Amino acid sequence: MNQNNKQLIEKKLSNESIYNGKIIDVNVYDVELPNGETSKREVVYHQGAVGIIAVHDGYMYFVKQYRIATEEVLLEIPAGKIEPEDDAEKTAFKELKEETGLVAEDVRKLHEFYVSPGFSNEKIHLFEAKGLSLDQQQLDEDEFLELEKIELSQLEEKLINGAFRDAKTVIGVQHVLYSNDYK
Amino acid sequence: MNQNNKQLIEKKLSNESIYNGKIIDVNVYDVELPNGETSKREVVYHQGAVGIIAVHDGYMYFVKQYRIATEEVLLEIPAGKIEPEDDAEKTAFKELKEETGLVAEDVRKLHEFYVSPGFSNEKIHLFEAKGLSLDQQQLDEDEFLELEKIELSQLEEKLINGAFRDAKTVIGVQHVLYSNDYK
């Protein structure tokens, strides 16, 4: 870390483990602020996930999925958690195949980003899938989602109208709309 | 909700409150899946936040801030939680002024998006600030951050090189780079 960031850094003084769950762990820290005062910080740990930009034959591929946290069906790019035994790239190939039936010859990392660094370390690795061919969807037993493909010519209007309602999907759609790779 | 989404929806069977904190609440639900099986779902509730795209005199405005969740100093667009007594728009004016010293004549909603709908209901309201003039930064007592402004001509290279490492900032930078409003 840059030397001149010292005046920004918080030091952990104590750590309380609140919850160790299936996909998240929650800890609360007492921290010392740069001015010597103390404060509490709540942190949600998550193993990270991938999202995949998949454009094939003039369509971008999405999945519709119910999210209990938001109590809505959302239209998202294919995505999935990184399991401890996998890396991000392997997860991208696997989730794309499972959720959409698309088989990629290659996946290329486009961005890595934290989704909510104010309280969580969850990072999304966003890939572009290349050399796609269409096979069969292979969902996990406890996974319920529907494939939806959208013509590239429809993406901009849908983005403006708020059809894409989560961060990774907005980033993926903006990339497809505006990068030279899809023109 | 659309009638034909019924086959995707999970029903809450029971609810355990795990934690009620300063910025997050954590609940665990038993749910009934569309196939009648049951599963557990972990949910982190958060009141939501704003992010602000601020471009003034050929520069886009950012803040550098230490994030204990990621143990890094990140370069983010100005942002802040929505307090119960405020709405998103009021929060956008206020956070922009506090964090950067920029005073906006107007703020316009560009997107609303969930940051991580797989486990959290946190929504970011992303605004564009208009009619900007520069006054003094006014940080909260427990807020430690540094202003950084970046020339528009430098944004694309920095985006490609991974200088922007959180979702709202990637979305904001993509928009400034590629929408016609900033050309």
Side-chain angles (χ1 to χ4, degrees), chain A residues 5 7 12 19 21-24 40 42 64 71-72 114 116 119 122 146 165-167 171 174, chain B residues 5 7 12 19 21-24 40 42 64 71-72 114 116 119 122 146 165-167 171 174:
Chain A
N5 287 328
Q7 71 286 2
K12 289 177 191 165
Y19 177 69
K22 203 169 56 166
I23 66 158
I24 58 170
K40 279 203 184 302
E42 299 157 353
K64 277 169 67 181
E71 299 188 358
E72 284 169 278
Y114 297 109
S116 192
F119 74 87
E122 185 192 357
E146 285 177 2
R165 309 197 54 213
D166 76 296
I171 291 173
Q174 290 197 138
Chain B
N5 286 327
Q7 70 287 6
K12 290 176 190 166
Y19 177 69
K22 205 168 55 167
I23 67 159
I24 58 170
K40 279 204 183 300
E42 300 156 353
K64 277 170 65 181
E71 299 189 358
E72 285 171 278
Y114 296 110
S116 192
F119 74 87
E122 185 192 357
E146 286 177 0
R165 310 194 53 211
D166 76 293
I171 292 172
Q174 282 181 324

mmCIF file of all heavy atoms in Angstrom, chain A residues 5 7 12 19 21-24 40 42 64 71-72 114 116 119 122 146 165-167 171 174, chain B residues 5 7 12 19 21-24 40 42 64 71-72 114 116 119 122 146 165-167 171 174:
data_model
loop_
_atom_site.group_PDB
_atom_site.id
_atom_site.type_symbol
_atom_site.label_atom_id
_atom_site.label_comp_id
_atom_site.label_asym_id
_atom_site.label_seq_id
_atom_site.Cartn_x
_atom_site.Cartn_y
_atom_site.Cartn_z
ATOM 1 N N ASN A 5 -0.920 6.697 1.982
ATOM 2 C CA ASN A 5 -2.276 6.348 2.390
ATOM 3 C C ASN A 5 -2.398 6.125 3.891
ATOM 4 O O ASN A 5 -3.480 5.834 4.395
ATOM 5 C CB ASN A 5 -2.744 5.080 1.658
ATOM 6 C CG ASN A 5 -3.059 5.366 0.197
ATOM 7 O OD1 ASN A 5 -3.499 6.455 -0.143
ATOM 8 N ND2 ASN A 5 -2.818 4.389 -0.649
ATOM 9 N N GLN A 7 -2.582 7.957 6.398
ATOM 10 C CA GLN A 7 -3.522 8.809 7.131
ATOM 11 C C GLN A 7 -4.983 8.417 6.886
ATOM 12 O O GLN A 7 -5.880 9.017 7.446
ATOM 13 C CB GLN A 7 -3.298 10.286 6.793
ATOM 14 C CG GLN A 7 -3.708 10.707 5.393
ATOM 15 C CD GLN A 7 -2.744 10.230 4.305
ATOM 16 O OE1 GLN A 7 -1.767 9.528 4.595
ATOM 17 N NE2 GLN A 7 -3.011 10.561 3.076
ATOM 18 N N LYS A 12 -7.657 -2.641 13.158
ATOM 19 C CA LYS A 12 -8.569 -3.496 13.924
ATOM 20 C C LYS A 12 -8.072 -3.631 15.365
ATOM 21 O O LYS A 12 -6.917 -3.993 15.593
ATOM 22 C CB LYS A 12 -8.624 -4.894 13.309
ATOM 23 C CG LYS A 12 -9.344 -4.946 11.981
ATOM 24 C CD LYS A 12 -9.285 -6.355 11.402
ATOM 25 C CE LYS A 12 -9.759 -6.357 9.960
ATOM 26 N NZ LYS A 12 -9.409 -7.590 9.250
ATOM 27 N N TYR A 19 -21.497 -14.610 12.809
ATOM 28 C CA TYR A 19 -22.208 -15.662 12.081
ATOM 29 C C TYR A 19 -21.279 -16.312 11.074
ATOM 30 O O TYR A 19 -20.519 -15.627 10.391
ATOM 31 C CB TYR A 19 -23.408 -15.029 11.344
ATOM 32 C CG TYR A 19 -24.208 -15.985 10.494
ATOM 33 C CD1 TYR A 19 -24.983 -16.976 11.074
ATOM 34 C CD2 TYR A 19 -24.187 -15.880 9.098
ATOM 35 C CE1 TYR A 19 -25.711 -17.855 10.285
ATOM 36 C CE2 TYR A 19 -24.922 -16.755 8.302
ATOM 37 C CZ TYR A 19 -25.678 -17.743 8.902
ATOM 38 O OH TYR A 19 -26.401 -18.607 8.127
ATOM 39 N N GLY A 21 -21.919 -18.755 7.987
ATOM 40 C CA GLY A 21 -23.012 -19.372 7.250
ATOM 41 C C GLY A 21 -22.545 -20.149 6.048
ATOM 42 O O GLY A 21 -21.374 -20.478 5.899
ATOM 43 N N LYS A 22 -23.493 -20.433 5.181
ATOM 44 C CA LYS A 22 -23.245 -21.218 3.982
ATOM 45 C C LYS A 22 -22.540 -20.367 2.936
ATOM 46 O O LYS A 22 -21.572 -20.803 2.328
ATOM 47 C CB LYS A 22 -24.600 -21.705 3.433
ATOM 48 C CG LYS A 22 -24.550 -22.923 2.575
ATOM 49 C CD LYS A 22 -25.973 -23.487 2.315
ATOM 50 C CE LYS A 22 -26.914 -22.467 1.708
ATOM 51 N NZ LYS A 22 -28.163 -23.082 1.146
ATOM 52 N N ILE A 23 -23.028 -19.140 2.732
ATOM 53 C CA ILE A 23 -22.369 -18.286 1.734
ATOM 54 C C ILE A 23 -21.764 -17.015 2.318
ATOM 55 O O ILE A 23 -20.967 -16.368 1.651
ATOM 56 C CB ILE A 23 -23.302 -17.929 0.543
ATOM 57 C CG1 ILE A 23 -24.464 -17.055 1.004
ATOM 58 C CG2 ILE A 23 -23.839 -19.168 -0.150
ATOM 59 C CD1 ILE A 23 -25.080 -16.259 -0.143
ATOM 60 N N ILE A 24 -22.128 -16.652 3.533
ATOM 61 C CA ILE A 24 -21.514 -15.467 4.151
ATOM 62 C C ILE A 24 -21.067 -15.753 5.579
ATOM 63 O O ILE A 24 -21.618 -16.618 6.265
ATOM 64 C CB ILE A 24 -22.479 -14.248 4.183
ATOM 65 C CG1 ILE A 24 -23.775 -14.605 4.959
ATOM 66 C CG2 ILE A 24 -22.776 -13.734 2.788
ATOM 67 C CD1 ILE A 24 -24.665 -13.401 5.232
ATOM 68 N N LYS A 40 -17.047 1.193 15.343
ATOM 69 C CA LYS A 40 -17.398 -0.199 15.017
ATOM 70 C C LYS A 40 -17.527 -0.355 13.514
ATOM 71 O O LYS A 40 -18.003 0.535 12.825
ATOM 72 C CB LYS A 40 -18.723 -0.576 15.669
ATOM 73 C CG LYS A 40 -18.594 -0.953 17.127
ATOM 74 C CD LYS A 40 -19.753 -1.826 17.588
ATOM 75 C CE LYS A 40 -19.652 -2.124 19.083
ATOM 76 N NZ LYS A 40 -18.404 -2.788 19.476
ATOM 77 N N GLU A 42 -18.912 -3.255 10.621
ATOM 78 C CA GLU A 42 -19.556 -4.541 10.324
ATOM 79 C C GLU A 42 -19.080 -5.035 8.960
ATOM 80 O O GLU A 42 -19.110 -4.265 7.991
ATOM 81 C CB GLU A 42 -21.074 -4.347 10.306
ATOM 82 C CG GLU A 42 -21.603 -3.877 11.658
ATOM 83 C CD GLU A 42 -22.929 -3.147 11.593
ATOM 84 O OE1 GLU A 42 -23.418 -2.875 10.480
ATOM 85 O OE2 GLU A 42 -23.457 -2.827 12.666
ATOM 86 N N LYS A 64 -33.302 -15.275 -15.856
ATOM 87 C CA LYS A 64 -34.287 -14.723 -14.935
ATOM 88 C C LYS A 64 -34.323 -15.600 -13.701
ATOM 89 O O LYS A 64 -34.436 -16.832 -13.802
ATOM 90 C CB LYS A 64 -35.685 -14.737 -15.573
ATOM 91 C CG LYS A 64 -35.946 -13.571 -16.481
ATOM 92 C CD LYS A 64 -37.223 -13.778 -17.267
ATOM 93 C CE LYS A 64 -38.453 -13.772 -16.388
ATOM 94 N NZ LYS A 64 -39.687 -14.000 -17.206
ATOM 95 N N GLU A 71 -36.804 -9.944 -3.124
ATOM 96 C CA GLU A 71 -38.191 -10.388 -3.335
ATOM 97 C C GLU A 71 -38.699 -10.065 -4.739
ATOM 98 O O GLU A 71 -39.842 -9.631 -4.934
ATOM 99 C CB GLU A 71 -39.118 -9.824 -2.247
ATOM 100 C CG GLU A 71 -38.692 -10.312 -0.870
ATOM 101 C CD GLU A 71 -39.654 -9.967 0.249
ATOM 102 O OE1 GLU A 71 -40.672 -9.303 -0.013
ATOM 103 O OE2 GLU A 71 -39.384 -10.389 1.395
ATOM 104 N N GLU A 72 -37.818 -10.280 -5.704
ATOM 105 C CA GLU A 72 -38.156 -9.996 -7.095
ATOM 106 C C GLU A 72 -37.490 -11.018 -8.003
ATOM 107 O O GLU A 72 -36.426 -11.550 -7.673
ATOM 108 C CB GLU A 72 -37.585 -8.644 -7.522
ATOM 109 C CG GLU A 72 -38.326 -7.452 -7.018
ATOM 110 C CD GLU A 72 -37.537 -6.191 -7.280
ATOM 111 O OE1 GLU A 72 -36.624 -5.882 -6.486
ATOM 112 O OE2 GLU A 72 -37.828 -5.534 -8.289
ATOM 113 N N TYR A 114 -15.273 -5.051 -6.477
ATOM 114 C CA TYR A 114 -16.052 -5.286 -5.264
ATOM 115 C C TYR A 114 -17.461 -4.775 -5.506
ATOM 116 O O TYR A 114 -17.651 -3.756 -6.189
ATOM 117 C CB TYR A 114 -15.438 -4.565 -4.069
ATOM 118 C CG TYR A 114 -14.061 -5.052 -3.728
ATOM 119 C CD1 TYR A 114 -12.936 -4.273 -3.957
ATOM 120 C CD2 TYR A 114 -13.876 -6.315 -3.185
ATOM 121 C CE1 TYR A 114 -11.662 -4.731 -3.655
ATOM 122 C CE2 TYR A 114 -12.614 -6.792 -2.881
ATOM 123 C CZ TYR A 114 -11.512 -5.993 -3.119
ATOM 124 O OH TYR A 114 -10.270 -6.461 -2.820
ATOM 125 N N SER A 116 -19.712 -4.089 -2.942
ATOM 126 C CA SER A 116 -20.149 -3.175 -1.884
ATOM 127 C C SER A 116 -19.060 -3.048 -0.829
ATOM 128 O O SER A 116 -19.206 -3.538 0.299
ATOM 129 C CB SER A 116 -21.446 -3.701 -1.262
ATOM 130 O OG SER A 116 -22.013 -2.709 -0.449
ATOM 131 N N PHE A 119 -19.173 -2.581 3.190
ATOM 132 C CA PHE A 119 -19.377 -3.586 4.233
ATOM 133 C C PHE A 119 -18.994 -5.008 3.815
ATOM 134 O O PHE A 119 -19.035 -5.919 4.656
ATOM 135 C CB PHE A 119 -20.819 -3.574 4.762
ATOM 136 C CG PHE A 119 -21.852 -4.175 3.835
ATOM 137 C CD1 PHE A 119 -22.110 -5.547 3.862
ATOM 138 C CD2 PHE A 119 -22.569 -3.384 2.958
ATOM 139 C CE1 PHE A 119 -23.062 -6.116 3.007
ATOM 140 C CE2 PHE A 119 -23.518 -3.944 2.111
ATOM 141 C CZ PHE A 119 -23.765 -5.304 2.130
ATOM 142 N N GLU A 122 -16.993 -9.078 -0.999
ATOM 143 C CA GLU A 122 -17.371 -9.836 -2.191
ATOM 144 C C GLU A 122 -16.831 -9.176 -3.455
ATOM 145 O O GLU A 122 -17.057 -7.994 -3.696
ATOM 146 C CB GLU A 122 -18.891 -9.989 -2.346
ATOM 147 C CG GLU A 122 -19.194 -10.902 -3.536
ATOM 148 C CD GLU A 122 -20.646 -10.934 -3.999
ATOM 149 O OE1 GLU A 122 -21.495 -10.285 -3.368
ATOM 150 O OE2 GLU A 122 -20.925 -11.612 -4.997
ATOM 151 N N GLU A 146 -34.661 -19.151 -15.646
ATOM 152 C CA GLU A 146 -35.082 -19.232 -17.047
ATOM 153 C C GLU A 146 -34.149 -18.430 -17.912
ATOM 154 O O GLU A 146 -33.776 -17.307 -17.567
ATOM 155 C CB GLU A 146 -36.496 -18.662 -17.194
ATOM 156 C CG GLU A 146 -37.550 -19.596 -16.663
ATOM 157 C CD GLU A 146 -38.943 -18.997 -16.740
ATOM 158 O OE1 GLU A 146 -39.094 -17.862 -17.234
ATOM 159 O OE2 GLU A 146 -39.872 -19.670 -16.267
ATOM 160 N N ARG A 165 -31.207 -4.727 -13.338
ATOM 161 C CA ARG A 165 -31.366 -4.154 -12.013
ATOM 162 C C ARG A 165 -30.298 -4.592 -11.029
ATOM 163 O O ARG A 165 -30.476 -4.474 -9.839
ATOM 164 C CB ARG A 165 -32.767 -4.499 -11.503
ATOM 165 C CG ARG A 165 -33.823 -4.115 -12.561
ATOM 166 C CD ARG A 165 -35.197 -4.049 -12.000
ATOM 167 N NE ARG A 165 -35.223 -3.171 -10.858
ATOM 168 C CZ ARG A 165 -36.005 -3.336 -9.814
ATOM 169 N NH1 ARG A 165 -36.838 -4.351 -9.786
ATOM 170 N NH2 ARG A 165 -35.963 -2.508 -8.806
ATOM 171 N N ASP A 166 -29.184 -5.140 -11.527
ATOM 172 C CA ASP A 166 -28.088 -5.416 -10.601
ATOM 173 C C ASP A 166 -26.776 -4.975 -11.242
ATOM 174 O O ASP A 166 -26.646 -4.886 -12.467
ATOM 175 C CB ASP A 166 -28.043 -6.889 -10.204
ATOM 176 C CG ASP A 166 -27.483 -7.748 -11.303
ATOM 177 O OD1 ASP A 166 -28.111 -7.830 -12.370
ATOM 178 O OD2 ASP A 166 -26.381 -8.307 -11.111
ATOM 179 N N ALA A 167 -25.805 -4.706 -10.388
ATOM 180 C CA ALA A 167 -24.584 -4.013 -10.808
ATOM 181 C C ALA A 167 -23.817 -4.771 -11.892
ATOM 182 O O ALA A 167 -23.431 -4.189 -12.906
ATOM 183 C CB ALA A 167 -23.690 -3.774 -9.590
ATOM 184 N N ILE A 171 -22.998 -3.364 -15.734
ATOM 185 C CA ILE A 171 -21.621 -3.251 -16.236
ATOM 186 C C ILE A 171 -21.457 -4.070 -17.520
ATOM 187 O O ILE A 171 -20.883 -3.600 -18.510
ATOM 188 C CB ILE A 171 -20.613 -3.698 -15.153
ATOM 189 C CG1 ILE A 171 -20.605 -2.689 -14.006
ATOM 190 C CG2 ILE A 171 -19.200 -3.855 -15.755
ATOM 191 C CD1 ILE A 171 -19.773 -3.112 -12.803
ATOM 192 N N GLN A 174 -23.433 -2.379 -20.420
ATOM 193 C CA GLN A 174 -22.755 -1.151 -20.884
ATOM 194 C C GLN A 174 -21.528 -1.514 -21.723
ATOM 195 O O GLN A 174 -21.240 -0.877 -22.731
ATOM 196 C CB GLN A 174 -22.361 -0.259 -19.703
ATOM 197 C CG GLN A 174 -23.558 0.373 -19.016
ATOM 198 C CD GLN A 174 -23.213 1.571 -18.119
ATOM 199 O OE1 GLN A 174 -23.922 2.562 -18.123
ATOM 200 N NE2 GLN A 174 -22.142 1.469 -17.345
ATOM 201 N N ASN B 5 -43.909 -15.993 -13.703
ATOM 202 C CA ASN B 5 -42.716 -16.170 -12.876
ATOM 203 C C ASN B 5 -42.968 -17.098 -11.700
ATOM 204 O O ASN B 5 -42.057 -17.355 -10.911
ATOM 205 C CB ASN B 5 -42.230 -14.814 -12.350
ATOM 206 C CG ASN B 5 -41.567 -13.996 -13.449
ATOM 207 O OD1 ASN B 5 -40.940 -14.557 -14.340
ATOM 208 N ND2 ASN B 5 -41.715 -12.691 -13.378
ATOM 209 N N GLN B 7 -43.188 -20.184 -11.318
ATOM 210 C CA GLN B 7 -42.357 -21.379 -11.216
ATOM 211 C C GLN B 7 -40.934 -21.073 -10.748
ATOM 212 O O GLN B 7 -40.123 -21.982 -10.590
ATOM 213 C CB GLN B 7 -42.346 -22.139 -12.545
ATOM 214 C CG GLN B 7 -41.594 -21.470 -13.679
ATOM 215 C CD GLN B 7 -42.322 -20.260 -14.263
ATOM 216 O OE1 GLN B 7 -43.346 -19.844 -13.750
ATOM 217 N NE2 GLN B 7 -41.772 -19.701 -15.305
ATOM 218 N N LYS B 12 -40.924 -18.111 1.905
ATOM 219 C CA LYS B 12 -40.310 -18.139 3.232
ATOM 220 C C LYS B 12 -41.145 -19.019 4.159
ATOM 221 O O LYS B 12 -42.355 -18.821 4.292
ATOM 222 C CB LYS B 12 -40.250 -16.738 3.829
ATOM 223 C CG LYS B 12 -39.269 -15.829 3.137
ATOM 224 C CD LYS B 12 -39.340 -14.424 3.744
ATOM 225 C CE LYS B 12 -38.547 -13.464 2.886
ATOM 226 N NZ LYS B 12 -38.850 -12.058 3.220
ATOM 227 N N TYR B 19 -28.661 -10.897 13.398
ATOM 228 C CA TYR B 19 -27.901 -9.717 13.817
ATOM 229 C C TYR B 19 -28.640 -8.456 13.404
ATOM 230 O O TYR B 19 -29.131 -8.360 12.273
ATOM 231 C CB TYR B 19 -26.511 -9.760 13.164
ATOM 232 C CG TYR B 19 -25.635 -8.561 13.458
ATOM 233 C CD1 TYR B 19 -25.122 -8.343 14.733
ATOM 234 C CD2 TYR B 19 -25.318 -7.645 12.456
ATOM 235 C CE1 TYR B 19 -24.320 -7.250 15.006
ATOM 236 C CE2 TYR B 19 -24.509 -6.542 12.714
ATOM 237 C CZ TYR B 19 -24.023 -6.350 13.994
ATOM 238 O OH TYR B 19 -23.220 -5.275 14.250
ATOM 239 N N GLY B 21 -27.540 -4.615 13.239
ATOM 240 C CA GLY B 21 -26.375 -3.761 13.436
ATOM 241 C C GLY B 21 -26.634 -2.317 13.082
ATOM 242 O O GLY B 21 -27.774 -1.866 12.942
ATOM 243 N N LYS B 22 -25.536 -1.599 12.933
ATOM 244 C CA LYS B 22 -25.582 -0.169 12.633
ATOM 245 C C LYS B 22 -25.935 0.038 11.160
ATOM 246 O O LYS B 22 -26.766 0.868 10.830
ATOM 247 C CB LYS B 22 -24.190 0.422 12.922
ATOM 248 C CG LYS B 22 -24.155 1.877 13.249
ATOM 249 C CD LYS B 22 -22.783 2.312 13.807
ATOM 250 C CE LYS B 22 -21.639 1.951 12.854
ATOM 251 N NZ LYS B 22 -20.347 2.619 13.198
ATOM 252 N N ILE B 23 -25.294 -0.723 10.287
ATOM 253 C CA ILE B 23 -25.604 -0.540 8.860
ATOM 254 C C ILE B 23 -26.200 -1.783 8.202
ATOM 255 O O ILE B 23 -26.733 -1.690 7.108
ATOM 256 C CB ILE B 23 -24.383 -0.049 8.040
ATOM 257 C CG1 ILE B 23 -23.289 -1.113 7.967
ATOM 258 C CG2 ILE B 23 -23.837 1.262 8.583
ATOM 259 C CD1 ILE B 23 -22.344 -0.910 6.796
ATOM 260 N N ILE B 24 -26.101 -2.936 8.828
ATOM 261 C CA ILE B 24 -26.717 -4.138 8.255
ATOM 262 C C ILE B 24 -27.524 -4.914 9.302
ATOM 263 O O ILE B 24 -27.234 -4.852 10.502
ATOM 264 C CB ILE B 24 -25.667 -5.110 7.647
ATOM 265 C CG1 ILE B 24 -24.629 -5.544 8.704
ATOM 266 C CG2 ILE B 24 -24.995 -4.503 6.423
ATOM 267 C CD1 ILE B 24 -23.718 -6.668 8.259
ATOM 268 N N LYS B 40 -31.960 -23.264 2.809
ATOM 269 C CA LYS B 40 -31.711 -22.101 3.668
ATOM 270 C C LYS B 40 -31.241 -20.931 2.815
ATOM 271 O O LYS B 40 -30.518 -21.106 1.845
ATOM 272 C CB LYS B 40 -30.610 -22.418 4.697
ATOM 273 C CG LYS B 40 -31.102 -23.195 5.892
ATOM 274 C CD LYS B 40 -30.210 -22.986 7.105
ATOM 275 C CE LYS B 40 -30.683 -23.851 8.273
ATOM 276 N NZ LYS B 40 -32.074 -23.568 8.703
ATOM 277 N N GLU B 42 -29.523 -16.976 3.276
ATOM 278 C CA GLU B 42 -28.956 -15.933 4.141
ATOM 279 C C GLU B 42 -29.155 -14.580 3.471
ATOM 280 O O GLU B 42 -28.825 -14.419 2.298
ATOM 281 C CB GLU B 42 -27.463 -16.200 4.360
ATOM 282 C CG GLU B 42 -27.218 -17.546 5.027
ATOM 283 C CD GLU B 42 -25.854 -18.151 4.779
ATOM 284 O OE1 GLU B 42 -25.092 -17.595 3.957
ATOM 285 O OE2 GLU B 42 -25.545 -19.175 5.417
ATOM 286 N N LYS B 64 -10.605 8.783 -2.398
ATOM 287 C CA LYS B 64 -9.803 7.635 -1.958
ATOM 288 C C LYS B 64 -10.151 7.361 -0.511
ATOM 289 O O LYS B 64 -10.159 8.284 0.326
ATOM 290 C CB LYS B 64 -8.310 7.966 -2.055
ATOM 291 C CG LYS B 64 -7.725 7.774 -3.428
ATOM 292 C CD LYS B 64 -6.324 8.328 -3.522
ATOM 293 C CE LYS B 64 -5.339 7.576 -2.631
ATOM 294 N NZ LYS B 64 -3.971 8.178 -2.748
ATOM 295 N N GLU B 71 -9.662 -4.342 3.083
ATOM 296 C CA GLU B 71 -8.308 -4.031 3.570
ATOM 297 C C GLU B 71 -7.466 -3.326 2.505
ATOM 298 O O GLU B 71 -6.275 -3.607 2.327
ATOM 299 C CB GLU B 71 -7.620 -5.299 4.096
ATOM 300 C CG GLU B 71 -8.411 -5.884 5.251
ATOM 301 C CD GLU B 71 -7.721 -7.014 5.988
ATOM 302 O OE1 GLU B 71 -6.616 -7.395 5.573
ATOM 303 O OE2 GLU B 71 -8.287 -7.492 6.983
ATOM 304 N N GLU B 72 -8.105 -2.393 1.827
ATOM 305 C CA GLU B 72 -7.432 -1.627 0.785
ATOM 306 C C GLU B 72 -7.971 -0.210 0.758
ATOM 307 O O GLU B 72 -9.126 0.027 1.111
ATOM 308 C CB GLU B 72 -7.752 -2.229 -0.594
ATOM 309 C CG GLU B 72 -7.056 -3.498 -0.919
ATOM 310 C CD GLU B 72 -7.629 -4.091 -2.200
ATOM 311 O OE1 GLU B 72 -8.684 -4.756 -2.112
ATOM 312 O OE2 GLU B 72 -7.037 -3.860 -3.252
ATOM 313 N N TYR B 114 -29.234 -3.213 -7.657
ATOM 314 C CA TYR B 114 -28.790 -3.988 -6.503
ATOM 315 C C TYR B 114 -27.321 -4.312 -6.700
ATOM 316 O O TYR B 114 -26.866 -4.563 -7.828
ATOM 317 C CB TYR B 114 -29.592 -5.280 -6.376
ATOM 318 C CG TYR B 114 -31.052 -5.048 -6.109
ATOM 319 C CD1 TYR B 114 -32.009 -5.321 -7.075
ATOM 320 C CD2 TYR B 114 -31.480 -4.535 -4.892
ATOM 321 C CE1 TYR B 114 -33.362 -5.087 -6.845
ATOM 322 C CE2 TYR B 114 -32.824 -4.301 -4.650
ATOM 323 C CZ TYR B 114 -33.757 -4.583 -5.632
ATOM 324 O OH TYR B 114 -35.079 -4.352 -5.391
ATOM 325 N N SER B 116 -25.664 -6.842 -4.966
ATOM 326 C CA SER B 116 -25.405 -8.260 -4.805
ATOM 327 C C SER B 116 -26.684 -9.009 -4.441
ATOM 328 O O SER B 116 -26.851 -9.468 -3.304
ATOM 329 C CB SER B 116 -24.344 -8.466 -3.712
ATOM 330 O OG SER B 116 -23.885 -9.801 -3.739
ATOM 331 N N PHE B 119 -27.464 -12.207 -2.071
ATOM 332 C CA PHE B 119 -27.618 -12.262 -0.606
ATOM 333 C C PHE B 119 -28.027 -10.939 0.028
ATOM 334 O O PHE B 119 -28.243 -10.887 1.237
ATOM 335 C CB PHE B 119 -26.344 -12.789 0.077
ATOM 336 C CG PHE B 119 -25.190 -11.809 0.122
ATOM 337 C CD1 PHE B 119 -25.080 -10.894 1.164
ATOM 338 C CD2 PHE B 119 -24.224 -11.816 -0.858
ATOM 339 C CE1 PHE B 119 -24.017 -9.996 1.216
ATOM 340 C CE2 PHE B 119 -23.165 -10.910 -0.822
ATOM 341 C CZ PHE B 119 -23.058 -10.005 0.209
ATOM 342 N N GLU B 122 -29.258 -4.484 -0.761
ATOM 343 C CA GLU B 122 -28.690 -3.141 -0.914
ATOM 344 C C GLU B 122 -28.855 -2.647 -2.345
ATOM 345 O O GLU B 122 -28.452 -3.321 -3.286
ATOM 346 C CB GLU B 122 -27.200 -3.076 -0.551
ATOM 347 C CG GLU B 122 -26.720 -1.620 -0.627
ATOM 348 C CD GLU B 122 -25.211 -1.410 -0.569
ATOM 349 O OE1 GLU B 122 -24.459 -2.376 -0.411
ATOM 350 O OE2 GLU B 122 -24.791 -0.249 -0.681
ATOM 351 N N GLU B 146 -9.720 11.194 0.807
ATOM 352 C CA GLU B 146 -8.993 12.203 0.043
ATOM 353 C C GLU B 146 -9.625 12.349 -1.336
ATOM 354 O O GLU B 146 -9.947 11.365 -1.981
ATOM 355 C CB GLU B 146 -7.535 11.772 -0.129
ATOM 356 C CG GLU B 146 -6.736 11.919 1.134
ATOM 357 C CD GLU B 146 -5.310 11.428 0.967
ATOM 358 O OE1 GLU B 146 -4.947 10.967 -0.145
ATOM 359 O OE2 GLU B 146 -4.572 11.488 1.957
ATOM 360 N N ARG B 165 -12.208 -0.176 -8.722
ATOM 361 C CA ARG B 165 -12.300 -1.524 -8.221
ATOM 362 C C ARG B 165 -13.597 -1.798 -7.484
ATOM 363 O O ARG B 165 -13.685 -2.747 -6.722
ATOM 364 C CB ARG B 165 -11.089 -1.816 -7.329
ATOM 365 C CG ARG B 165 -9.782 -1.417 -8.062
ATOM 366 C CD ARG B 165 -8.573 -1.980 -7.413
ATOM 367 N NE ARG B 165 -8.739 -3.408 -7.270
ATOM 368 C CZ ARG B 165 -8.211 -4.096 -6.283
ATOM 369 N NH1 ARG B 165 -7.511 -3.494 -5.354
ATOM 370 N NH2 ARG B 165 -8.395 -5.398 -6.225
ATOM 371 N N ASP B 166 -14.595 -0.956 -7.698
ATOM 372 C CA ASP B 166 -15.904 -1.308 -7.133
ATOM 373 C C ASP B 166 -16.981 -1.039 -8.180
ATOM 374 O O ASP B 166 -16.815 -0.219 -9.086
ATOM 375 C CB ASP B 166 -16.181 -0.549 -5.841
ATOM 376 C CG ASP B 166 -16.563 0.880 -6.096
ATOM 377 O OD1 ASP B 166 -15.695 1.639 -6.574
ATOM 378 O OD2 ASP B 166 -17.735 1.250 -5.861
ATOM 379 N N ALA B 167 -18.105 -1.725 -8.016
ATOM 380 C CA ALA B 167 -19.120 -1.785 -9.067
ATOM 381 C C ALA B 167 -19.686 -0.411 -9.426
ATOM 382 O O ALA B 167 -19.770 -0.053 -10.599
ATOM 383 C CB ALA B 167 -20.253 -2.724 -8.643
ATOM 384 N N ILE B 171 -19.441 1.409 -13.175
ATOM 385 C CA ILE B 171 -20.639 1.828 -13.917
ATOM 386 C C ILE B 171 -20.587 3.320 -14.228
ATOM 387 O O ILE B 171 -20.855 3.756 -15.357
ATOM 388 C CB ILE B 171 -21.919 1.470 -13.125
ATOM 389 C CG1 ILE B 171 -22.087 -0.042 -13.078
ATOM 390 C CG2 ILE B 171 -23.152 2.143 -13.733
ATOM 391 C CD1 ILE B 171 -23.217 -0.528 -12.171
ATOM 392 N N GLN B 174 -17.822 3.990 -16.914
ATOM 393 C CA GLN B 174 -18.307 3.533 -18.236
ATOM 394 C C GLN B 174 -19.272 4.555 -18.816
ATOM 395 O O GLN B 174 -19.204 4.886 -20.002
ATOM 396 C CB GLN B 174 -19.055 2.192 -18.111
ATOM 397 C CG GLN B 174 -18.187 0.957 -17.969
ATOM 398 C CD GLN B 174 -19.069 -0.293 -17.875
ATOM 399 O OE1 GLN B 174 -20.157 -0.260 -17.279
ATOM 400 N NE2 GLN B 174 -18.614 -1.394 -18.440
#
